[in-house]
Every structure is written in structure tokens, then in C-alpha cells.
Amino acid sequence: STPVPATPPAATPPPAAVPPAASRVAFTADVRYRYDYTYGDADQTLDRERPRVRARVGARFAAHERVSFETGLSSGGLDPRNAYETLSNDTGRKELRLDLAYLEWRPTTGVRVQGGRTRQPWQRPAGTALLDSDLMPEGVTAFGAAGGFTAIA
């Protein structure tokens, strides 16, 4: 009897190429739930208890090696310091607001210019009550760094 040659395995197709634009987009999202208890003054009676939720979603797109755009949406009402929504027994819809929308340009090494509704450009000391982390300034910010020195305008 004549041996039958083994059949070669089927060729695996090459992986699909990732479009260049898709590889330059990064998505973010988070959801936080908490049950909030608020007590009265000296008698420690329960003033209020409520379930709260915060949801955020965003995307950053690198249009060019020196230009990027970031945008984000967040739950929350009109208070710029609070993105939480209170859940209640009604069936009403909750609000979604523009949290971030800015363009960043890096004309040269160590220099960045941002314009729009940006992340906080300054460093916050740990545990500070001075600046709330939910505040997002609007306008134009320029950053410069050289020789270990950083300036923000």
C-alpha cells in the first residue's frame, strides 16, 4: 500500500488591518454608585438618604502627532461641582451634560496649547478642599516646560 501524503493545514487568513484612524482613538467610561446618608446637626437624626449615580463617557482622538481632540459627557445637573444624579421612585430621565470638549496643539517639544472646556490645568494638593476635581475650566491654556521648570498661563 502506498502512504497517503498528509494534507497541509488550511492557510490562516492574515489579520484584518486596523484602519489608521481607529488606532488613534481611545475611549473611556466609568460608572459610580453610592448610597448617601446625610445626618442632622447635634442630635444625629437622619435628614436624608438617597441613592446616587455618576456616569461618564469620553473619547480622545489624535488627529495628528501634534494635534488631538478630547470630548466627554457626564451625568449631572446644573451644579458644576457635582456629576451625581439622585435616583428616585419616578421614571423621569436623568441629565447628561458636556463635560469636556477641547483641542490640544503641541507646536514644539515642551509646549502645549489647549482651548475649549478642558481638564484642570493645575496640580491640586492631596486632600485639598480649595479646588473641586469636577470643575472643568473653559478658555485657552498654554503650558511650557524647559529644564525642569513648568509654566502654565
Side-chain angles (χ1 to χ4, degrees):
S1 104
T2 317
V4 177
T7 309
T12 305
V18 176
S23 65
R24 296 188 312 240
V25 178
F27 294 99
T28 60
D30 70 273
V31 176
R32 180 181 291 175
Y33 174 84
R34 74 177 193 196
Y35 202 81
D36 186 23
Y37 295 95
T38 305
Y39 289 94
D41 295 330
D43 62 358
Q44 291 295 310
T45 58
L46 185 62
D47 268 356
R48 176 177 59 194
E49 57 181 306
R50 58 191 177 164
R52 315 245 12 234
V53 66
R54 179 190 74 189
R56 297 183 295 191
V57 62
R60 183 172 179 89
F61 178 69
H64 182 268
E65 66 184 25
R66 296 187 180 275
V67 177
S68 60
F69 175 76
E70 185 169 2
T71 186
L73 299 173
S74 177
S75 62
L78 295 174
D79 185 354
R81 296 167 293 133
N82 191 345
Y84 282 93
E85 283 284 349
T86 299
L87 302 176
S88 58
N89 291 330
D90 67 12
T91 58
R93 296 185 185 271
K94 304 303 178 191
E95 295 188 40
L96 194 61
R97 302 268 178 177
L98 183 64
D99 196 29
L100 292 170
Y102 68 92
L103 185 71
E104 181 175 283
W105 175 47
R106 293 173 298 284
T108 185
T109 304
V111 176
R112 292 184 298 142
V113 178
Q114 295 178 338
R117 183 172 171 84
T118 67
R119 296 184 181 280
Q120 290 182 357
W122 48 82
Q123 293 291 325
R124 291 180 54 235
T128 184
L130 180 64
L131 300 170
D132 193 297
S133 62
D134 285 329
L135 289 175
M136 302 295 178
E138 297 176 3
V140 176
T141 307
F143 303 84
F149 177 76
T150 302
I152 301 173

Coordinates of all heavy atoms in Angstrom, one line a residue, residues 14 23 37 40 48 69 75 80-81 91 93 108-109 132-134:
P14 N -4.7 36.4 6.8 CA -4.0 37.5 7.6 C -5.0 38.3 8.4 O -6.1 38.5 8.0 CB -3.3 38.3 6.6 CG -4.1 38.1 5.3 CD -4.6 36.7 5.4
S23 N -7.0 53.4 15.2 CA -5.9 53.2 16.2 C -5.5 54.5 16.9 O -4.8 54.4 17.9 CB -4.7 52.6 15.4 OG -4.2 53.6 14.5
Y37 N -26.0 59.1 52.9 CA -26.7 59.4 54.2 C -26.3 60.8 54.6 O -25.1 61.1 54.7 CB -26.3 58.4 55.3 CG -26.7 57.0 55.0 CD1 -25.8 56.1 54.4 CD2 -28.0 56.5 55.4 CE1 -26.2 54.8 54.2 CE2 -28.3 55.2 55.2 CZ -27.5 54.4 54.6 OH -27.8 53.1 54.4
G40 N -28.5 65.1 60.5 CA -28.8 66.5 61.0 C -27.6 67.0 61.9 O -26.5 66.4 61.9
R48 N -31.6 62.9 55.5 CA -31.9 62.5 54.1 C -31.0 61.2 53.8 O -29.9 61.1 54.2 CB -31.5 63.6 53.2 CG -31.6 63.3 51.7 CD -31.3 64.5 50.9 NE -29.9 65.0 51.1 CZ -29.5 66.2 50.7 NH1 -30.3 67.0 50.1 NH2 -28.2 66.5 51.0
F69 N -7.9 65.9 20.0 CA -9.2 66.4 20.5 C -9.7 65.5 21.5 O -9.7 64.3 21.3 CB -10.1 66.5 19.3 CG -11.5 66.9 19.6 CD1 -11.8 68.3 19.9 CD2 -12.5 66.0 19.7 CE1 -13.1 68.7 20.3 CE2 -13.8 66.4 20.0 CZ -14.1 67.7 20.3
S75 N -23.0 62.6 33.6 CA -24.3 62.7 34.2 C -24.3 64.0 35.1 O -23.2 64.5 35.4 CB -24.7 61.5 35.0 OG -23.8 61.3 36.0
P80 N -21.8 72.6 38.7 CA -20.5 72.3 38.1 C -19.6 71.5 39.0 O -18.6 70.9 38.5 CB -19.9 73.6 37.7 CG -20.5 74.6 38.7 CD -21.9 74.1 39.0
R81 N -19.9 71.4 40.3 CA -19.0 70.6 41.2 C -19.5 69.2 41.5 O -19.0 68.5 42.3 CB -18.9 71.4 42.5 CG -18.3 72.8 42.4 CD -18.5 73.6 43.7 NE -19.9 73.9 43.8 CZ -20.6 73.8 44.9 NH1 -20.1 73.3 46.0 NH2 -21.9 74.1 44.9
T91 N -40.0 57.9 37.1 CA -39.5 57.3 35.9 C -38.9 58.4 35.0 O -38.7 58.1 33.8 CB -40.6 56.6 35.1 OG1 -41.7 57.5 34.8 CG2 -41.1 55.4 35.9
R93 N -36.3 60.9 33.1 CA -34.9 60.7 32.6 C -33.9 61.6 33.4 O -34.3 62.7 33.9 CB -34.9 61.1 31.1 CG -35.7 60.2 30.3 CD -35.6 60.5 28.8 NE -36.5 59.7 28.0 CZ -36.2 58.5 27.5 NH1 -35.0 58.0 27.8 NH2 -37.1 57.9 26.8
T108 N 5.7 72.4 19.6 CA 7.1 72.0 19.7 C 7.3 71.2 21.0 O 6.4 71.2 21.8 CB 8.1 73.2 19.7 OG1 9.4 72.8 19.7 CG2 7.8 74.2 20.8
T109 N 8.4 70.6 21.2 CA 8.6 69.8 22.4 C 8.5 70.7 23.7 O 9.1 71.8 23.7 CB 10.0 69.2 22.4 OG1 10.1 68.4 21.2 CG2 10.2 68.3 23.6
D132 N -12.3 71.8 43.5 CA -13.1 70.6 43.3 C -12.6 69.9 42.0 O -12.4 70.6 41.0 CB -14.6 70.9 43.3 CG -15.4 69.7 43.4 OD1 -15.3 68.8 42.5 OD2 -16.2 69.6 44.3
S133 N -12.4 68.6 42.1 CA -11.9 67.9 40.9 C -12.9 67.8 39.8 O -12.6 67.5 38.6 CB -11.5 66.5 41.3 OG -12.6 65.8 41.8
D134 N -14.2 68.1 40.0 CA -15.2 68.1 39.0 C -15.3 69.4 38.2 O -15.9 69.5 37.2 CB -16.6 67.8 39.5 CG -16.7 66.3 39.9 OD1 -16.1 65.5 39.2 OD2 -17.5 66.0 40.8

